[in-house]
Structure formats: structure tokens, C-alpha cells
Amino acid sequence: MDIGIDLGTANTLLYARGQGIVLNEPSVVAVQEGSRHALAVGAEAKETIGRTPGSITAIRPLRDGVISDYEAAEEMIRHFVRKAVPGRRRPRTRMVVCVPSGVTPVERRAIVHASISAGARAVHLIEEPMAAAIGAGLPVSSARGSMVVDIGGGTEVAVISLGGIVTAQSLRVGGDRFDAAITDHVRKRHSLLVGERTAEDVKVAIGSAWPVPGGEEFERRTFTVRGREKVSGLPRTVELTVPEVREALDEPVEAVIAAVRVTLEECPPELSGDVMEHGIVLTGGGALLPGLDLRLASATGIPVFVADAPLDCVALGSGRCVEDFDGLQRVLGKAERAR
Ligand code: ADP
Ligand code: MG
């Protein structure tokens, strides 16, 4: 059984050869304090964030696009592979694992180790923007320059040509920072403390990066958050509006735009010409933020497209590799093997 893994900071997806995406769960592990034993992994563990009794901690093994807890990451990979591929023996499993383009050699080894301990005989690492571009249907092997901006927990911007990444930026600003910006705003403007899950709910319900054409109804929406009053410590609710949330998101959104500009500047002129002509493709959950495409298009003067099913692009790209190891050999790194 060959498997592709999108090891995301927010969500982990598994693609099984011949089957498609077989698992899609939050990248969260709940552990008992003191022991490293995982009590729950994935959707079940995410439910516990911000609600755990003192002795249980909900860990996100990856944050802002990098691995922040190796042990938990390993536990999570093992758990998901077992869940998606039941049965005690997983002979000859090959895995294609997507990693952020900025990972260090130490992080690469940690991911390979975790995959092997989860049952892989051979592991190929592929950089996330490459997988995202393949999953979005971009012609990565051709001589034409393609730009992909993958906004998950963090952000990856890359220009790809002839099966390789020509220039890339890895940014610790993405969905997680969008949430943090909302938390900050609510604390400063309304003196209310809210958790990161609440902030994410606000973002998904009424977040935007630019007024959406024809979105008058959307502009009038509000979202009521419940939190704890900063001074009194008592529970209180506050009604947030679309324009104020957009303003709260301004800084991290500008940071993403700045990274796109830098990547364009660093890229050889022929390739940036291709990008100007064919546009920029957005993938990852952040691509769903209303108006982000329009704002980026207006800031760069380049057409911007949101990929179909942006949350699935990286997993589908790793899946394409799993279905066609030989055809995509050039984009896949050399295999690391279990000893
Ligand atoms: P990762 O690859 O890091 O796991 P994903 O590509 O799965 O990340 O995207 C997850 C991020 O996308 C989260 O920050 C989540 O809040 C955000 N997200 C999901 N849906 C939406 C939406 N409709 N609007 C804005 N952000 C969204
Ligand atoms: Mg991702």
C-alpha cells in the first residue's frame, strides 16, 4: 500500500494509492502531562483544545509551518497511518510525505524516521509548494514558470519550472497568524479574552481580506463571540462586524502579499513574465478567505486564481506522485530507506 501524506500544521491528509484521500483530520495530539502517551489524536484531540483539564495538554506538533514537537509529530503519523491502513503488516509501503520548503536537515530526518516507524519501507520527501502545484493542476514539468501560494497554518510561496522550485519563500504568517490577529483585536478593542478556536470560528464565518463584489449581505454580517472580560474575569459576549475583522487581518494579509512580491522580484524575468501571463494560483485553507484573491491581484497587477478544493491540493499532489512514481521521479527526492 503506497501512501501520500500532507503533514499540515492545521490538517493532515492521507492519500492511498488507487483509493484517493482516505483520511483528513486536524494535526492535534492530546497527551497526559508527565507521560508522552497520546490520549487522543486528530479530530477527537482538537475537540479538547482550550477545554482540557490541567493534566491533559492538546499539542499541535506543527506550528507556523514548522515542526515544533517531534515526538508528537511521530506519534501522530503512526496513529493516522494505522487508522487509514488497518492490518498489522504493511509490507513494502512507500510513502510520499510533503514537507514545508524551509525544513532543516534535522527536521527532514525526523519526518523520515517517523514515517519509517509508521511502517514505510521507502520514504520520499516532496516540498509542499511542489505538491500543491501538482494538486492544483499546474504544468510543473514544463518550462513555463508557475507560481503557487499555499496558505495553511503558515504560507509557502514558490515559482516552479521544469519540475523544480526556482525560488521560494516560507513564511510563518498564515492561518494561525490570522487567528492570532483576531484574538489580539478582540482583546485590545473589546477587552475580551477569547481562545484560538473561537478566533478561527470568527475568521471562517466573517473574515475577509477585501470587500467582496456583490457582497453587501456579507458585509452586514456579525458574529457573536463569548470570552472572558480582561479586568473582571467574568464571561461576556461581544458582536464583531465584517469591516472590523477585515481591519484586524490587515497586517498578516499584507505580510503574505509582501512575500509574493519578494518571490516575484527574485525570480528570473522570463519566469515572472510567465506568471504575469498565466496568473498566481492560491491553495491551502487560507485561499478560502473571501477577497484575498482580489486583494493580491490588485497589489501585484497579476491575475489570481483560487484552486479547486484548495484544502486538498497538497494531498492530491502527493497522491499523483504515489500513483506515478516513475513519471514524477524528477520532482520526488531520492528515497530514504528503512534499514
Ligand atoms: P495546513 O496545510 O497548514 O494544515 P490547511 O491548508 O489545511 O493548513 O489550512 C488550514 C487553515 O485554513 C486554517 O488556518 C484554517 O483556519 C484556514 N481556513 C479553513 N477554511 C477557511 C475559510 N473558509 N476561510 C478562511 N480560512 C480558512
Ligand atoms: Mg498545507
Side-chain angles (χ1 to χ4, degrees):
M1 172 67 70
D2 296 328
I3 300 172
I5 302 182
D6 166 11
L7 192 58
T9 58
N11 300 296
T12 297
L13 282 73
L14 261 64
Y15 181 108
R17 184 174 194 176
Q19 294 177 41
I21 293 172
V22 291
L23 180 139
N24 179 356
E25 295 206 32
S27 307
V28 181
V29 179
V31 296
Q32 181 83 48
E33 206 176 321
S35 96
R36 298 292 307 172
H37 179 65
L39 296 172
V41 181
E44 207 186 315
K46 186 172 186 183
E47 286 305 309
T48 65
I49 289 188
R51 294 174 183 272
T52 56
S55 61
I56 301 172
T57 333
I59 297 177
R60 288 182 52 195
L62 299 102
R63 275 219 175 244
D64 304 320
V66 294
I67 301 182
S68 50
D69 186 326
Y70 294 103
E71 274 180 67
E74 207 175 299
E75 180 74 31
M76 190 173 80
I77 294 177
R78 259 201 308 270
H79 177 93
F80 285 152
V81 170
R82 282 203 197 111
K83 185 166 177 181
V85 190
R88 196 172 294 171
R89 301 204 313 136
R90 289 167 211 87
R92 298 168 59 76
T93 296
R94 288 183 293 184
M95 290 189 197
V96 174
V97 185
C98 306
V99 294
S101 62
V103 294
T104 62
V106 174
E107 290 176 326
R108 293 177 78 92
R109 274 200 299 280
I111 294 169
V112 168
H113 180 259
S115 309
I116 287 171
S117 87
R121 302 299 293 157
V123 185
H124 297 265
L125 299 185
I126 172 175
E127 290 178 305
E128 258 167 16
M130 177 61 78
I134 295 171
L138 291 171
V140 296
S141 299
S142 84
R144 189 187 107 184
S146 299
M147 179 182 257
V148 63
V149 181
D150 181 64
I151 310 173
T155 299
E156 304 256 342
V157 184
V159 174
I160 291 166
S161 167
L162 290 170
I165 292 179
V166 179
T167 165
Q169 301 275 323
S170 246
L171 201 65
R172 284 176 174 226
V173 176
D176 290 341
R177 274 295 175 79
F178 294 172
D179 300 345
I182 292 173
T183 310
D184 286 351
H185 165 84
V186 176
R187 191 186 62 239
K188 287 183 187 140
R189 184 78 55 85
H190 302 285
S191 303
L192 196 70
L193 306 175
V194 295
E196 65 181 65
R197 295 227 28 213
T198 301
E200 185 181 15
D201 290 343
V202 172
K203 175 184 71 179
V204 171
I206 62 165
S208 63
W210 191 260
V212 187
E216 289 79 14
E217 187 269 331
F218 178 80
E219 286 296 311
R220 283 194 299 272
R221 275 189 212 170
T222 58
F223 192 89
T224 304
V225 290
R226 183 183 299 278
R228 191 156 49 84
E229 166 92 30
K230 210 160 74 180
V231 182
S232 69
L234 296 173
R236 182 162 66 85
T237 60
V238 133
E239 198 169 76
L240 301 175
T241 67
V242 167
E244 76 172 303
V245 172
R246 185 158 56 233
E247 202 188 310
L249 292 174
D250 193 63
E251 207 180 299
V253 165
E254 277 302 321
V256 170
I257 292 171
V260 172
R261 283 219 183 88
V262 170
T263 312
L264 281 168
E265 280 163 21
E266 283 181 354
C267 146
E270 287 79 9
L271 298 183
S272 53
D274 291 342
V275 174
M276 295 261 231
E277 188 180 337
H278 298 285
I280 298 170
V281 171
L282 299 184
T283 63
L288 294 167
L289 190 70
L292 186 60
D293 49 349
L294 296 173
R295 174 125 170 218
L296 185 58
S298 142
T300 57
I302 299 175
V304 177
F305 306 97
V306 177
D308 290 338
L311 283 157
D312 295 347
C313 285
V314 171
L316 292 175
S318 73
R320 275 274 305 284
C321 299
V322 163
E323 301 287 359
D324 185 14
F325 275 98
D326 300 333
L328 287 162
Q329 214 164 35
R330 189 150 53 165
V331 308
L332 287 169
K334 105 179 155 7
E336 315 268 351
R337 293 188 184 280
R339 263 178 269 275

